[in-house]
């Protein structure tokens, strides 16, 4: 506990500041009695984020995990999901799809206001799609298909597509499509706008301040549409890059929530037996797949036998056990197993690319890269310098070295890594964990569909295969119940071409203080949603 405070003195300061802040606001708040089990107002949640630097809070512009956690607090969208994966209305109260699957009509809530008090209308939805869509890594499939996006009145948003896209509704959940205020961004350079660091949103809390490298503070949004929520006065994100410090902070009661790295889950579960917090598994989670992207524009990675050899050389089960402590499974093919109605078991990396260093060596020989003085060639393996990516990269480095590849490990700050891999494309191989969201169109297609741009986390490998792009398009347009044959072909092509090596799909857990009440309602979500703290409340004696 004391060593934790010496390493991160700002956490204690945040706790004291939150208490003073709660007292100041609580004096003017209407506080109900806590002993009847009803929510009371007041108090602060301190949530630990795995970062000290966040380039933007606008998740239309990034899919960085810390920014996504924060966005649930200040942003909102048209819909969301409960823990069973059932779609729930948010700013849209209902939606209709035309018989031909090309027109979507959304009816919006009336009287909603932005956190600055300005009215929210359908024009904001149109503006968000047409202005931010080109920056959003998840909308790369939708934006080219938009024929017209319009607001027929203040509470009606109409989307017309050139051709059907079965996953369209998935693209409008609040995680993928957080709504942005037209009155703030209109006519401005949206990519560099100051509001990206001090956002105006529709969520339960509004931005207050950012202490660089220490914390980001959000306070109750008095204009929030879902009254009487939120109950808390504020949410403070403590920026703590070290995973052990984040866990220590929760154990010591200095923070109320953190998302443990998979390698920390067992230890966090053991510590939770003291009753101060609990570990919640997000059972219906979106796929989170550790992958190696390969730059197909460079030798020797242009050679498919080299790529096959690299896959055979990796003991993926060791990654599951050593990095993820068994709380993961080897990835089976390009379509994650979480998509139960779309995943075809006949394409299985466990058999197609079983761990076989001898076969890997033979393939490298056949590709024209025999051993010379114990080495075949040199490759740079680029990775973000934090868990679990660094641990995965170290195992990949070790295994490739055993078949004679000289692997130079380049562990970088996230922003430097992002620029190197996606903007400059100056890399050989890169390790990352990619999230698949609720449908292959979101987060899976982006790894394989031809991409000539530099959108972060969208296919940086130089893989452009018209055959695959057509299959992916046909799969996305096929009616529900008729998509699986297309996704089988989808998986077969990627298993043949291997621009990306899928390693392991991990499970997802979050840890939260038991001081907080309303947690069943707060954690009634699935896929990529995170706590927005609108449902949670603190009894008066815990504030």
């Amino acid at each position: 506990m004391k060593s934790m405070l010496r390493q991160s003195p700002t956490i204690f300061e945040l706790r004291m500041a939150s208490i003073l802040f709660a007292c100041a606001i609580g004096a003017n708040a209407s506080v109900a009695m806590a002993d009847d089990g009803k929510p009371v107002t007041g108090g602060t949640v301190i949530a630990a984020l795995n970062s000290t630097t966040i380039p933007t809070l606008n998740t239309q512009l990034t899919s960085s995990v810390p920014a996504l956690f924060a966005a649930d607090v200040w942003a909102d969208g048209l819909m969301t999901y409960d823990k069973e994966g059932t779609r729930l209305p948010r700013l849209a109260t209902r939606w209709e799809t035309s018989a031909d699957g090309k027109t979507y009509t959304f009816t919006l809530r009336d009287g909603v206001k932005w956190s600055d008090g300005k009215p929210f209308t359908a024009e904001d939805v149109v503006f968000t799609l047409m202005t931010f869509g080109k920056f959003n890594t998840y909308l790369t499939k939708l934006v080219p298909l938009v024929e017209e996006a319009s607001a027929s009145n203040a509470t009606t948003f109409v989307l017309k597509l050139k051709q059907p896209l079965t996953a369209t509704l998935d693209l409008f959940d609040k995680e993928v499509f957080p709504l942005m205020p037209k009155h703030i961004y209109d006519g401005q350079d949206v990519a560099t706008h100051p509001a990206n660091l001090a956002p105006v949103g529709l969520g339960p809390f509004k931005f207050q301040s950012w202490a660089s490298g220490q914390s980001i503070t959000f306070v109750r949004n008095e204009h929030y549409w879902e009254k009487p929520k939120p109950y808390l006065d504020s949410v403070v994100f403590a920026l703590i890059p070290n995973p052990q410090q984040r866990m220590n902070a929760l154990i010591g009661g200095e923070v109320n929530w953190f998302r443990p790295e998979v390698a920390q889950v067992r230890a966090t579960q053991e510590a939770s037996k003291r009753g101060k917090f609990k570990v919640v598994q997000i059972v219906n989670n979106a796929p989170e797949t550790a992958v190696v992207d390969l730059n197909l524009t460079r030798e020797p990675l242009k050679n498919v036998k080299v790529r096959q050899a690299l896959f055979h050389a990796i003991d993926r089960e060791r990654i599951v056990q050593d990095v993820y402590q068994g709380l993961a499974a080897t990835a089976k093919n390009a379509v994650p197993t979480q998509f139960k109605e779309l995943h075809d078991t006949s394409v299985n990396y466990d058999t197609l690319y079983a761990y076989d260093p001898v076969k890997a060596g033979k393939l490298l020989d056949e590709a024209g890269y025999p051993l010379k003085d114990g080495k075949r060639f040199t490759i740079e393996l680029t990775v973000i310098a934090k868990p679990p990516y660094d641990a995965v990269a170290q195992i990949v480095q070790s295994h490739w070295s055993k078949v004679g590849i000289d692997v130079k490990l380049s562990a970088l700050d996230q922003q430097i890594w992002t620029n190197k891999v996606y903007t400059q494309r100056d890399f050989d191989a890169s390790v990352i964990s990619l999230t698949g969201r609720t449908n292959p169109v979101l987060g899976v297609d982006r790894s394989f569909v031809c991409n000539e741009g530099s959108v972060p986390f969208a296919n940086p490998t130089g893989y452009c295969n018209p055959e695959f792009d057509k299959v992916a398009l046909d799969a996305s347009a096929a009616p529900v119940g008729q998509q699986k044959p297309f996704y089988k072909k989808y998986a077969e092509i990627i298993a043949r071409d291997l621009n990306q090596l899928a390693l392991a799909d991990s499970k997802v857990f979050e840890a939260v203080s038991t001081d907080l009440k309303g947690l069943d309602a707060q954690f009634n979500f699935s896929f990529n949603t995170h706590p927005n703290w609108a449902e949670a409340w603190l009894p008066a004696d815990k504030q």
Side-chain angles (χ1 to χ4, degrees):
M1 174 77 165
K2 291 183 179 178
S3 62
M4 173 65 205
L5 289 174
R6 283 197 299 270
Q7 292 171 338
S8 299
T10 58
I11 300 175
F12 177 74
E13 293 168 359
L14 288 170
R15 171 60 66 189
M16 294 305 297
S18 72
I19 292 172
L20 294 173
F21 181 84
C23 290
I25 292 185
N28 297 316
S30 174
V31 181
M33 295 299 293
D35 57 4
D36 60 359
K38 294 182 180 179
V40 302
T41 58
T44 295
V45 160
I46 298 182
L49 288 188
N50 59 336
S51 183
T52 53
T53 57
I54 301 175
T56 178
L57 291 174
N58 185 344
T59 53
Q60 287 283 356
L61 305 177
T62 182
S63 55
S64 169
V65 171
L68 291 170
F69 285 133
D72 276 283
V73 167
W74 67 265
D76 211 337
L78 298 181
M79 60 187 68
T80 189
Y81 303 91
D82 66 14
K83 62 183 179 182
E84 305 300 328
T86 303
R87 207 173 268 123
L88 300 176
R90 296 295 295 167
L91 275 304
T93 58
R94 61 188 178 92
W95 43 87
E96 298 174 355
T97 307
S98 63
D100 64 3
K102 294 195 290 186
T103 301
Y104 293 79
T105 303
F106 298 84
T107 300
L108 309 182
R109 295 184 187 278
D110 194 12
V112 175
K113 294 181 180 180
W114 293 95
S115 58
D116 64 357
K118 301 295 184 182
F120 161 74
T121 73
E123 289 289 349
D124 293 300
V125 185
V126 175
F127 178 80
T128 301
L129 178 61
M130 302 311 295
T131 305
F132 288 96
K134 62 185 176 182
F135 298 103
N136 188 319
T137 183
Y138 298 107
L139 297 183
T140 54
K141 183 67 70 70
L142 177 68
V143 171
L145 299 181
V146 174
E147 181 176 291
E148 182 184 10
S150 63
S152 54
N153 56 54
T155 58
T156 306
F157 165 59
V158 180
L159 174 68
K160 295 182 179 180
L161 302 179
K162 299 172 186 175
Q163 62 187 57
L165 180 66
T166 306
T168 295
L169 289 178
D170 295 287
L171 292 162
F172 284 98
D173 81 57
K174 73 185 188 74
E175 306 302 315
V176 174
F177 192 71
L179 294 165
M180 297 292 135
K182 180 179 180 180
H183 68 278
I184 295 292
Y185 286 98
D186 196 17
Q188 308 292 314
D189 181 356
V190 299
T192 61
H193 198 287
N196 297 331
L197 298 177
V200 173
L202 296 164
F205 297 88
K206 63 181 181 181
F207 177 83
Q208 184 187 62
S209 62
W210 190 330
S212 180
Q214 297 182 31
S215 64
I216 308 174
T217 299
F218 296 84
V219 298
R220 183 188 291 116
N221 175 11
E222 67 271 24
H223 299 296
Y224 186 50
W225 61 272
E226 199 175 12
K227 302 294 185 184
K229 305 169 190 174
Y231 307 110
L232 297 166
D233 288 332
S234 60
V235 177
V236 177
F237 289 104
L239 306 181
I240 310 173
N242 184 285
Q244 186 60 48
Q245 288 185 5
R246 292 196 296 275
M247 186 172 79
N248 289 350
L250 182 70
I251 293 172
E254 297 170 308
V255 304
N256 306 104
W257 173 93
F258 92 117
R259 181 178 177 179
E261 305 292 342
V262 178
Q264 295 179 294
V265 170
R266 302 290 190 197
T268 308
Q269 288 173 328
E270 183 64 27
S272 72
K273 293 177 181 178
R274 303 172 195 173
K276 299 294 185 182
F277 62 90
K278 65 179 181 178
V279 179
V280 180
Q281 182 178 359
I282 311 304
V283 177
N284 193 25
N285 70 292
E288 295 200 4
T289 308
V291 303
V292 181
D293 282 318
L294 303 173
N295 191 340
L296 273 54
T297 68
R298 293 186 173 182
E299 298 289 358
L301 300 171
K302 287 182 178 179
N303 191 317
V304 69
K305 285 190 175 182
V306 171
R307 303 197 295 273
Q308 292 170 343
L310 293 176
F311 213 177
H312 277 297
I314 301 173
D315 184 351
R316 298 185 303 126
E317 186 57 40
R318 182 181 163 191
I319 291 173
V320 166
Q321 297 303 324
D322 291 2
V323 177
Y324 294 101
Q325 297 189 353
L327 299 173
T330 54
K332 308 307 181 188
N333 66 49
V335 180
T337 55
Q338 284 92 334
F339 303 135
K340 298 179 180 66
E341 304 303 318
L342 305 177
H343 177 85
D344 194 296
T345 58
S346 68
V347 184
N348 190 339
Y349 290 157
D350 288 349
T351 52
L352 288 171
Y353 296 103
Y355 177 52
D356 191 339
V358 174
K359 186 172 184 178
K362 290 180 180 178
L363 284 166
L364 290 170
D365 289 341
E366 293 172 10
Y369 296 96
L371 282 169
K372 293 181 181 179
D373 300 323
K375 298 289 177 65
R376 299 178 187 274
F377 54 80
T378 298
I379 191 171
E380 181 187 39
L381 182 60
T382 304
V383 64
I384 301 172
K386 63 181 181 181
Y389 322 117
D390 50 359
V392 171
Q394 288 165 13
I395 290 178
V396 172
Q397 178 190 36
S398 172
H399 289 174
W400 284 354
S401 298
K402 290 176 181 177
V403 296
I405 300 171
D406 180 23
V407 183
K408 306 295 186 184
L409 190 60
S410 178
L412 304 172
D413 168 82
Q414 180 167 333
Q415 190 57 52
I416 296 173
W417 172 87
T418 300
N419 291 337
K420 181 179 179 68
V421 174
Y422 296 101
T423 303
Q424 302 167 5
R425 299 196 179 185
D426 180 22
F427 76 103
D428 295 327
S430 173
V431 170
I432 190 58
S433 179
L434 294 173
T435 306
R437 302 259 170 179
T438 59
N439 188 286
V441 169
L442 292 79
V444 178
D445 280 7
R446 62 177 169 155
S447 289
F448 311 113
V449 172
C450 187
N451 171 35
E452 297 178 353
S454 59
V455 176
F457 303 100
N459 182 6
T461 67
Y463 178 64
C464 284
N465 180 351
E467 176 195 13
F468 173 82
D469 287 356
K470 184 178 187 307
V471 169
L473 185 63
D474 291 343
S476 68
V480 173
Q482 300 177 34
Q483 294 178 293
K484 191 169 183 177
F486 294 101
Y487 279 110
K488 178 183 178 181
K489 183 64 175 177
Y490 181 114
E492 289 172 342
I493 294 172
I494 298 305
R496 178 195 72 199
D497 294 348
L498 291 182
N499 69 310
Q500 182 184 87
L501 312 182
L503 306 178
D505 288 330
S506 67
K507 298 179 181 180
V508 176
F509 300 82
E510 297 185 9
V512 61
S513 169
T514 50
D515 285 348
L516 287 157
K517 306 302 178 184
L519 293 179
D520 287 344
Q522 184 60 77
F523 283 85
N524 182 28
F525 58 72
S526 57
F527 303 125
N528 292 89
T529 307
H530 315 291
N532 69 353
W533 305 113
E535 306 284 351
W537 55 278
L538 279 166
D541 61 346
K542 299 293 184 180
Q543 294 179 17

